[in-house]
Amino acid sequence: MASSHTGAKGDPLAGMAHSEAHYFNSYNHHGIHEEMLKDEVRTRSYRDAIYQNGHLFKDKVVLDVGCGTAILSMFAVRAGAKHVIGVDMSTIIDKAKEIVERNGMSDKITLLQGKMEEVVLPFDKVDIIISEWMGYFLLYESMLDTVLYARDKYLVKDGLIFPDKATIFMAGIEDGEYKDEKIGFWDNVWGFDYTPLKATAMTEPLVDTVDMKYVVTDPASVLTLDLYKCTVDDLSFRLPYELNVRRPDFIHAIIAWFDIEFSACHKPIKFSTGPHTKYTHWKQTVFYLQDVLTVEEGEKIVGELENRPSEKNHRDLDITITYKLNTEDMHRQSAGQGMYKMC
């Protein structure tokens, strides 16, 4: 898609790598904000975490990192915040200013367009950081590194972060029919062998909703990030997982999702983006395996999940999943690894 930004003077996107500028441009389109605002699980969780904790927000200075249309900023004002600063790279901020004005909050909310690392805030320190920074698979195109920068530079000692915990989960699924449709398709395309594209398709994780009935294993938590303590280095990791098989079936793919927690709240508020719960726009991330695993109840699949930002663009991800089926039946023993790119 052609970029609408030409790198004119005063343009915060000037001088950026095209891929990164494209990422911020995509947030100029109202469709993506509509999808996020209509995501009830997401927006209600943030609203409840803020509204139910007016005692924490009263007379506080709040920083909204990646404020988009300023919905979280306005929640914070309604909850009693003294002042809210919203920062966003995208030109959606022009619309956000109109929205804030229309809702009579211009005196309480300052909106700044630019990079968190470069903008000048009207306050030296803030009491609370709010941010909806999560991407697909939690970390794809995520703004967590920006939130951590803001935490280290602006958050007062013992200040609060909303939300403050994120956990990545994995499970194994039966997905034969869909895998055939997505991957097997390349074996014969209108009478031609398209298998070179099959290898590419296998490396591209699929973001989709998975029905709970296809989940063959118990979920396993792999990584928990505590936003008060974690660093940018923690976003590159290689961690073990272990999946317990629930029933005899086949496993074609591993899926991943995340849970989010606001633990500063009077009563903790959490939401999940997993297959067992209500739809969110993050859906789940599906990683197809080279092998089809034939599993029996009580067996285990063990391996490692490795994730690191791509060297070409730090918002893209290089992901490796190793897997091994632990079974006493030597005919079904299987092990391998998949290498994936989220870009």
Side-chain angles (χ1 to χ4, degrees), residues 14-265:
M16 246 186 215
H18 172 74
S19 56
E20 198 166 354
H22 173 85
Y23 161 74
F24 288 112
N25 280 327
S26 70
Y27 281 86
N28 298 338
H29 301 290
H30 86 277
I32 198 163
H33 294 283
E34 181 183 356
E35 182 184 37
M36 291 190 287
L37 292 165
K38 283 181 173 173
D39 183 333
E40 260 195 61
V41 172
R42 162 203 182 264
T43 311
R44 177 173 286 141
S45 299
Y46 275 89
R47 186 198 65 181
D48 291 352
I50 295 169
Y51 281 5
Q52 291 173 18
N53 292 280
H55 61 292
L56 298 177
F57 280 83
K58 188 169 168 41
D59 299 329
K60 294 295 196 294
V61 176
V62 178
L63 174 59
D64 181 356
V65 178
C67 62
T69 58
I71 183 81
L72 304 186
S73 296
M74 293 190 293
F75 285 159
V77 168
R78 280 240 170 117
K82 178 169 82 175
H83 203 87
V84 183
I85 308 121
V87 179
D88 205 295
M89 282 291 306
S90 147
T91 53
I92 192 72
I93 207 141
D94 297 328
K95 285 286 171 215
K97 285 175 183 169
E98 289 179 40
I99 292 164
V100 164
E101 190 177 345
R102 194 64 66 91
N103 287 279
M105 294 183 178
S106 297
D107 58 331
K108 294 271 193 180
I109 298 174
T110 301
L111 297 175
L112 304 171
Q113 186 183 2
K115 269 192 162 172
M116 193 73 237
E117 296 81 355
E118 292 167 7
V119 295
V120 179
L121 301 195
F123 295 86
D124 290 339
K125 291 286 175 187
V126 301
D127 303 298
I128 301 176
I129 290 175
I130 54 178
S131 181
E132 198 274 77
W133 52 267
M134 301 82 74
Y136 297 131
F137 182 66
L138 186 65
L139 299 173
Y140 173 58
E141 287 196 340
S142 117
M143 292 190 309
L144 182 52
D145 52 345
T146 308
V147 174
L148 300 183
Y149 173 87
R151 174 198 71 187
D152 294 344
K153 182 160 185 183
Y154 294 113
L155 191 63
V156 297
K157 187 178 183 305
D158 300 325
L160 299 177
I161 304 175
F162 279 66
D164 58 340
K165 269 207 181 71
T167 305
I168 293 178
F169 289 87
M170 294 168 74
I173 62 163
E174 187 282 311
D175 200 24
E177 203 175 313
Y178 204 54
K179 185 181 179 186
D180 267 356
E181 208 177 288
K182 294 293 294 178
I183 310 292
F185 166 76
W186 301 108
D187 290 336
N188 180 340
V189 179
W190 298 100
F192 298 100
D193 179 344
Y194 262 62
T195 46
L197 281 179
K198 189 175 182 174
T200 309
M202 285 293 286
T203 67
E204 293 173 352
L206 201 65
V207 174
D208 209 346
T209 44
V210 175
D211 194 307
M212 193 58 200
K213 69 183 180 201
Y214 296 114
V215 179
V216 180
T217 73
D218 290 328
S221 66
V222 188
L223 169 77
T224 297
L225 293 171
D226 175 344
L227 267 67
Y228 292 108
K229 295 179 183 157
C230 72
T231 66
V232 172
D233 290 344
D234 295 325
L235 311 187
S236 299
F237 56 83
R238 184 176 182 170
L239 293 167
Y241 69 87
E242 182 177 290
L243 303 176
N244 295 310
V245 177
R246 284 182 181 171
R247 62 170 189 253
D249 212 328
F250 301 101
I251 289 178
H252 300 91
I254 302 271
I255 61 167
W257 67 92
F258 60 88
D259 287 10
I260 291 296
E261 186 176 342
F262 301 81
S263 69
C265 296

